Structures are given as C-alpha cells and as structure tokens.
Amino acid sequence: MYRKRFHFPLGKIGIIGGGQLGKMMAQQAKRMGFHIAVLDPTPNCPAAQTADEHILGDFFDENKLTELVEKSDVTTYDIEHVNTAVLQKLADAGHDIHPSPHLLEILQDKLRQKEVLREHHVPVAAFQQADPPDFPANLQFPLVQKVRHGGYDGRGVMVLRDRRALANAIPAPSMIETFVDFKKELAVMVARSADGEIKCHPVVEMVFNDEANICDMVIAPARIPQHCAERARNVARHSIEAIDGVGIFGVEMFLTQDDDVLVNEIAARPHNSGHYTIEACSTCQFEQHIRAVAGLPLGATNLLSPAVMVNLLGCCNSEGPPVIEGLHEALSLPGLSFHFYGKKVSLPFRKMGHVTIVDTAVEDAIAKAAKAKKLVTVTGADRSLKKSRVQM
Ligand SMILES: Nc1ncnc2c1ncn2[C@@H]1O[C@H](COP(=O)(O)OP(=O)(O)OP(=O)(O)O)[C@@H](O)[C@H]1O
Ligand SMILES: [Mg+2]
C-alpha cells in the first residue's frame, strides 16, 4: 500500500480472526504505528485486546467482512476458515487482501493444496482422493486419512494401520496419503511481498504432543545437517513462489529417513512454529507478515540466538477461567520469555500461551524448556473434567 513514501498514520490493517496470531500481529503492527481493526465473534478476544477497533462478527458474515475490508487499506487473516467467496468479490472490486482469497480457497482444501503443489513439482507424499466409505482397492497400509476441509491441530487426520481400520475412517470428503516414516518434522516461515521479494526464516524442528497431536515444542535451529536445512529452505521457498503467495506462510515438512524433504502442508498466515522468532530473530514472523502485506521491504531473518518455544496448553482435565501456576519459578530461568494470550477460558489442550527460551547452545535451551514445561501449568478454575477432550 505505501510503497515508497511514508506519512503518518501509516494505514489501516484489517485482520480477520482475533486469536493469538491476530494479537501478536496487531502488537507488531501497533509498534510500527499502524491502525488495527479486527473481526471476530468473541468479545474481548486476544487480538481485540490490542487492536484499535473490534468488529464483532462471524468470519462468514458477508456484511461484517465487507465492513472490515472497506475500512482497511489492506486486509489479512489469522485464520484460514473464512468466507473466501465474499473476499474474492471484494478483491475483484479493487480491495487489497493478502494472501489472495483465491489462494486461500485452494489452501483450505487439503486435496486441492496437494494437487497444486504436485503440479508445481513440490515434493509431497503420494496421495489420492478418497471419500469414505468408497476407498480405492489395492491400498498400501499404513496410510493417513485427511479430511479435506476444516481440520486443524491434528483434528481431521487419522492414521489407518490396516484394511480393518477403514471402518473407523472419518466420514467426510477426504484424501489419503502414504504414511511417511519421518526422522523429524520441520518448518520454515517464508515471507513474500507482492513484488516477489522473498525471505525465509531458519529451519526449525517441531516436536508433537502424542496425546493431542498438537505441536508442543519448537527447536531453532533444527538439529539437522546443513545440506538438509538448505534443501528444506529451498523447497519451502519454491512452494510459496509456486502458489504466488503474498504474506507469511508456515511451510510444514517431513525429513524422511533418507534425508529427503516432503512438504506436509502450508499455513497461509503466521504459524506456531514461528513464535520463537519474536525473541530469536532480527525480524519476527508477525512484523515480517505486516511488512509483506503492507508492501514494505522485508526484514532480515537471521537467527540471533538458538531458541526453544514451548506451547502452554490448557490442562487436560479442567476448564474455566485460566489459573497459571509455576510462573515465578519459570521466570527465574535466564533467557525465558512468557507470552499469555488473554483467552478468558482454559479448555483441555487449548493453546493458552507459550514460553520461549534463548540460550547460547540449543541443548541448554532444550533443557531449560523441559524445565519450564514442567513448572508452568494452566488449569481451568471452574471444574474438573473426568474425561480429557481436545478443544481449541
Ligand atoms: N503422511 C503422513 N505420514 C505420517 N504422519 C503424518 C502424515 N501426515 C500428517 N502426519 C502427522 O499428523 C500431524 C497433523 O497433520 P497435518 O499437519 O496435515 O494436520 P493439521 O490438522 O492441519 O495439523 P496442524 O493444524 O497442527 O498443522 C502432522 O504434523 C504429522 O505428525
Ligand atoms: Mg500441520
């Protein structure tokens, strides 16, 4: 929007979705002097606590989306499940919306996303369409079923070990994919501006909580050979060029047993695997995203220090207003930064906040992160739950 000259105020940025990603985006944008309007159905949602304006409304509400886009110089998202048809109309009418609604529509459908990546020769695991109960014959097990629309944090993803497991498949339009016996899960944040400038943050390792299938630790830099890191960055960069992305993108990848890199999926927004960049990189993912969508030059992405990020998830057997314990002990660990998103209710496995530890050696940061993970707990004050259940 402001390509060459600046004047004050810099402009209005609209954010669809007011969760933690919107909040951290808004914090960086406010630091730079932008005006922020956010659209979200929850009063006092995390991003509304930082934004200048909050439009209370749903991501599929045509009137509310139009109101946000019309009052913003540029509109972006913190969530992918939004009404792309309305946004496409607004983009066609000349409004700046990044990433483009057309791209978002492709990425919302896991099958279309993989087809487009494969068309552009991005390495991905073998996959095909499958709509339960109609599975193709001659399947090779184990395989992974992925629901095409609406999945997040591992919901809508199911490993099917053998033919009998097909009976438990999720009954929704899906794709099935070869099970990848990976060494590590990697991620790279890639930012690209409308004029094609592109920059990658360092390659990180994502470590998952098996119980909830949620990423609970991110290690930067990834402990992998240099040639694998280079390969991962090249594949990630190529993926975003291939889809003509504008903004920042989280590219999730698998490092296979024979050091091949396969793209798992692309998130068209800042990503949990990039939170460490706030403390550990010259330019954090949120500022980088704001720069990319606002047409400003991208910032340097170098790692200033090894870092480990740990998600603070709501305790698995309680819900209600969050109660944080162990914070005093955790904050006495040198190099630890604490982030709390301001969600009013803690639910089992809900992402409530995170901590990042920077240290001179990555192994020391990992040890401190493990300590912090044990020390800090977030429980819900209202009631104990007998059965654990996963909810965002
Ligand atoms: N083909 C595969 N082979 C082996 N494991 C897989 C495969 N696809 C996905 N997984 C595992 O399932 C996890 C979730 O898959 P995926 O990232 O596609 O789903 P998601 O619901 O969009 O997750 P998130 O929102 O956390 O990114 C992956 O991080 C990985 O651990
Ligand atoms: Mg994923």
Side-chain angles (χ1 to χ4, degrees), residues 279 308 330-337 355-359 368:
E279 285 82 13
V308 174
L331 281 175
S332 66
L333 293 170
L336 182 140
S337 300
V355 297
T356 299
I357 293 102
V358 293
D359 210 325
K368 279 187 191 160

Side-chain angles (χ1 to χ4, degrees), residues 110 114 125 144 146 151-157 159 177-182 185 206 208 213-215 252 254 264-265 269 271 351:
K110 286 196 176 203
K114 280 269 158 75
V144 182
K146 296 187 175 182
Y152 64 90
D153 283 345
R155 296 205 221 173
V157 175
V159 177
E177 192 171 85
T178 305
F179 181 88
V180 180
D181 178 22
F182 52 78
E185 294 198 56
M206 291 191 290
F208 279 75
N213 206 6
I214 293 181
C215 165
E252 298 178 12
F254 298 127
N264 174 34
E265 65 168 349
R269 49 170 171 73
H271 192 252
K351 287 175 179 160

Side-chain angles (χ1 to χ4, degrees), residues 278-320:
I278 297 174
E279 285 82 13
C281 292
S282 289
T283 310
C284 78
Q285 64 163 346
F286 300 101
E287 177 179 342
Q288 194 77 313
H289 181 64
I290 296 297
R291 289 185 184 221
V293 301
L296 296 167
L298 299 179
T301 54
N302 55 301
L303 191 66
L304 301 170
S305 158
V308 174
M309 189 273 332
V310 179
N311 279 328
L312 299 176
L313 305 177
C315 154
C316 67
N317 54 16
S318 70
E319 68 179 37

Side-chain angles (χ1 to χ4, degrees), residues 56-100:
L56 210 57
D58 192 83
F59 313 132
F60 285 82
D61 182 328
E62 175 155 10
N63 292 332
K64 299 289 183 178
L65 281 169
T66 305
E67 182 187 340
L68 178 78
V69 171
E70 284 184 345
K71 69 162 46 166
S72 304
D73 295 304
V74 62
T75 303
T76 187
Y77 331 79
D78 102 327
I79 185 163
E80 283 132 337
H81 303 305
V82 302
N83 189 333
T84 50
V86 169
L87 293 176
Q88 187 61 59
K89 262 201 280 179
L90 291 160
D92 291 344
H95 292 286
D96 255 349
I97 304 176
H98 297 303
S100 74

